Amino acid sequence: MTMEMERTATGPILSDGTPLADLIDLERHEVSLRLLTDPEVFRLELDRLFSRVWTVLAHETEIPNAFDYVARDIGLDPVIVTRSRDGSINVVHNVCSHRGMQVCRAEAGNEKQFKCPYHGWSFNEQGRFMGSPVARENMHGEFRAKEELALKKARVQTYAGFVFATWDQEAPPLEEYLGEIKFYLDLMFDRTESGLEVLGPPQRFVIPANWKCPGEQHAGDGYHAMTLHRSINELGGSESDDSSMYGIDVSANGHGLRLIDRRKGKWKNNREAVLKAQTLPPFEKLRTIMLPPGLTPEMAEELKDKLTEDQIRVLADYPPSVGGLFPNMGTFCFEFPTPMGMAAIISWHSFVPKGPDEFEFVNWFLVEKDAPQEFKDLMRRAATLGLGTTGFVETDDADTWPMMTEASKGFMGRRGTIKYGALTGEDQPLTGYWDKGEFPGGGHLYPGFTKDDSQWNWWLRWRDFMLGEPWGPDAHH
């Protein structure tokens, strides 16, 4: 079927006459299950969402040397992430400007030039056209200058070593795109002078589900952990089924994070120490008793140089642990039990769409560069046990998302809805939570038991892009 691309006040009209905007009920806070499987919606997402958002592709420590590269994807567009001699990072479309063949077919390597296997056209690491075989025959033709035959380049910016790219030349800078969520991200990923490094190449695997299932979950769904991930709570020694459900959900620009209330004992074996720590100044609390996940006591000293007093205060009382960046990224920094003792996990996920009912899961494990080797080894073990392809967490989620996607394909399924009716509502300043005025971090704050607010905000941001107004004054930030 074809789709009528008429632009109206309600956005695109699908081929059966349904306005796309009607598939999200703003009054009842419901989303049509049809959005999880409709191929027309997926095509619109490629054109209106993934052509414009900042997408994470790699970590700069994956390409430490000049001419290192990795092959990744922005939506369905293959790209090459390369490092030039001067240290700059490039993201170029991995499609030859001659006949549309994929130029690079390896996942990673080191190359000064990429040679298309079809007709031999060559491009340098910045995508510039270098020439073609039998140069005297001028096989690149008479109609375009060599400069016009370069591989298409995306805009590139980095945060905490992660490489982001966008095709949209009008998109705001990455820092503005992250918005107020960056205050909290710094507490997880930008805490030390040396920063993070990857623990080898990311795990990559394909899940038969719509990419929006994990996308919206990582915007702030803490509630599912009480049931779906119950075994992890039991391993960690949680005192009650809902003990980790309380804290603050933060939302900004469609991004979301969960802040855990650390003023109360979370684990049975350290409750007394945690309660005693509340009498200490914030930095002393972090340095002596409540170390941020992934840091040693010696490394914690750097927090004073990297973070503001307000950030240290939030990190001591309400550290961010799990969340996601709009539209298709998951972020993690939390403690995790292993047979070798308590460890930590620092991880980023990317959910790369491959179709309306399939996505590639890209999973980076990270550690602080300056951490002792035995510390890194323990974190690798924890990450593999918890978030690896066969880990406790991912095997739970990977069972749920495909079932949601399949459910949306039936006659009744296409008429069903996903419901976001459990709303906390904002509380700024946080009544009863912060005793000295407004919470310093900013963003939309939802204190108490984790509910649906942040996920609903994710869908509102998705709607902004799909209706064609993501950067305007009326967009949901």
Side-chain angles (χ1 to χ4, degrees):
M1 291 189 298
T2 62
M3 178 174 56
E4 180 185 353
M5 294 305 294
E6 173 189 358
R7 296 192 62 175
T8 71
T10 55
I13 307 298
L14 302 181
S15 60
D16 67 353
T18 302
L20 182 66
D22 286 359
L23 297 179
I24 296 183
D25 189 328
L26 298 179
E27 293 185 2
R28 297 174 63 87
H29 285 221
E30 295 184 8
V31 175
S32 172
L33 273 169
R34 177 178 175 178
L35 295 181
L36 299 186
T37 193
D38 194 305
E40 292 181 299
V41 172
F42 177 71
R43 176 55 58 182
L44 278 171
E45 288 175 336
L46 296 179
D47 294 346
R48 296 189 170 212
L49 181 66
F50 286 99
S51 68
R52 307 190 72 178
V53 294
W54 285 99
T55 302
V56 69
L57 297 174
H59 193 271
E60 61 183 5
T61 56
E62 292 183 77
I63 49 171
N65 305 309
F67 309 114
D68 282 350
Y69 72 88
V70 293
R72 300 288 153 79
D73 299 275
I74 300 176
L76 291 184
D77 289 315
V79 296
I80 315 171
V81 184
T82 72
R83 189 181 290 276
S84 292
R85 190 187 303 274
D86 63 3
S88 61
I89 296 175
N90 318 280
V91 172
V92 298
H93 194 203
N94 189 10
V95 172
C96 184
S97 55
H98 183 214
R99 298 288 167 82
M101 174 62 183
Q102 188 167 311
V103 174
C104 175
R105 293 185 292 176
E107 291 190 1
N110 182 282
E111 293 288 347
K112 292 183 179 180
Q113 289 192 20
F114 296 94
K115 185 176 181 180
C116 178
Y118 196 7
H119 294 94
W121 284 29
S122 296
F123 306 85
N124 74 358
E125 90 287 354
Q126 299 182 35
R128 183 161 63 91
F129 175 61
M130 304 301 291
S132 59
V134 198
R136 66 179 178 274
E137 296 296 339
N138 197 26
M139 292 303 294
H140 66 276
E142 304 291 342
F143 301 101
R144 291 181 180 272
K146 284 188 174 183
E147 291 74 20
E148 297 180 81
L149 298 174
L151 303 180
K152 301 299 183 183
K153 292 188 69 172
R155 290 173 60 195
V156 178
Q157 292 187 12
T158 62
Y159 167 74
F162 278 96
V163 180
F164 288 75
T166 178
W167 299 117
D168 188 358
Q169 298 303 311
E170 303 301 322
L174 177 60
E175 184 165 347
E176 183 179 336
Y177 180 79
L178 295 176
E180 292 181 295
I181 211 72
K182 182 179 179 298
F183 175 98
Y184 307 96
L185 292 175
D186 290 349
L187 311 185
M188 307 165 76
F189 310 115
D190 195 18
R191 307 170 297 183
T192 63
E193 199 61 42
S194 297
L196 300 171
E197 65 180 5
V198 292
L199 283 168
Q203 295 180 334
R204 299 170 66 180
F205 50 99
V206 173
I207 292 182
N210 187 273
W211 70 271
K212 292 188 292 299
C213 295
E216 64 87 31
Q217 176 183 302
H218 283 81
D221 184 356
Y223 184 48
H224 80 283
M226 190 166 66
T227 302
L228 188 63
H229 302 315
R230 181 182 177 90
S231 60
I232 299 174
N233 288 331
E234 294 172 347
L235 283 173
S238 180
E239 294 190 352
S240 65
D241 286 345
D242 63 1
S243 63
S244 63
M245 297 294 105
Y246 290 90
I248 305 170
D249 289 343
V250 182
S251 176
N253 288 3
H255 317 305
L257 284 170
R258 299 197 60 238
L259 314 186
I260 303 301
D261 188 349
R262 289 300 301 270
R263 301 171 306 164
K264 302 175 182 178
K266 181 179 178 182
W267 309 104
K268 287 181 179 179
N269 60 3
N270 73 345
R271 177 178 175 82
E272 184 175 337
V274 169
L275 293 177
K276 183 178 179 180
Q278 305 314 311
T279 62
L280 298 175
F283 177 71
E284 288 302 311
K285 186 189 305 186
L286 290 172
R287 186 177 65 87
T288 59
I289 296 179
M290 302 173 70
L291 278 171
L295 296 184
T296 65
E298 295 75 21
M299 296 163 63
E301 295 291 335
E302 296 185 43
L303 295 173
K304 291 185 294 184
D305 298 323
K306 288 288 292 184
L307 305 179
T308 66
E309 290 185 11
D310 283 342
Q311 286 178 310
I312 288 176
R313 187 180 178 196
V314 171
L315 185 58
D317 286 344
Y318 293 94
S321 61
V322 178
L325 302 181
F326 181 86
N328 64 327
M329 290 162 270
T331 57
F332 304 84
C333 183
F334 59 88
E335 297 171 323
F336 192 83
T338 76
M340 301 169 64
M342 187 62 69
I345 295 176
I346 301 175
S347 178
W348 279 46
H349 297 345
S350 179
F351 315 112
V352 184
K354 295 298 180 184
D357 54 6
E358 185 175 83
F359 70 89
E360 182 183 45
F361 195 125
V362 185
N363 183 11
W364 292 271
F365 297 149
L366 302 111
V367 293
E368 296 284 350
K369 289 180 183 177
D370 293 338
Q373 187 59 49
E374 62 271 19
F375 207 72
K376 295 178 181 181
D377 292 341
L378 184 57
M379 288 184 65
R380 184 195 301 271
R381 175 73 177 265
T384 303
L385 287 172
L387 301 185
T389 54
T390 57
F392 290 106
V393 176
E394 301 311 341
T395 51
D396 292 340
D397 290 329
D399 187 51
T400 303
W401 302 326
M403 290 187 178
M404 294 171 62
T405 303
E406 282 299 308
S408 70
K409 296 179 180 180
F411 172 79
M412 292 298 293
R414 295 178 78 248
R415 290 157 177 78
T417 60
I418 313 171
K419 298 169 179 64
Y420 298 89
L423 303 175
T424 298
E426 289 193 70
D427 188 352
Q428 173 65 285
L430 292 172
T431 304
Y433 277 73
W434 209 253
D435 57 0
K436 296 182 180 179
E438 290 191 355
F439 196 79
H444 302 286
L445 306 174
Y446 308 100
F449 194 90
T450 181
K451 293 193 176 178
D452 293 339
D453 305 81
S454 292
Q455 288 176 274
W456 179 245
N457 291 344
W458 185 94
W459 279 109
L460 294 178
R461 195 74 182 109
W462 181 90
R463 185 178 185 272
D464 288 338
F465 278 90
M466 299 301 286
L467 299 191
E469 298 297 333
W471 315 128
D474 296 328
H476 294 88
H477 299 302

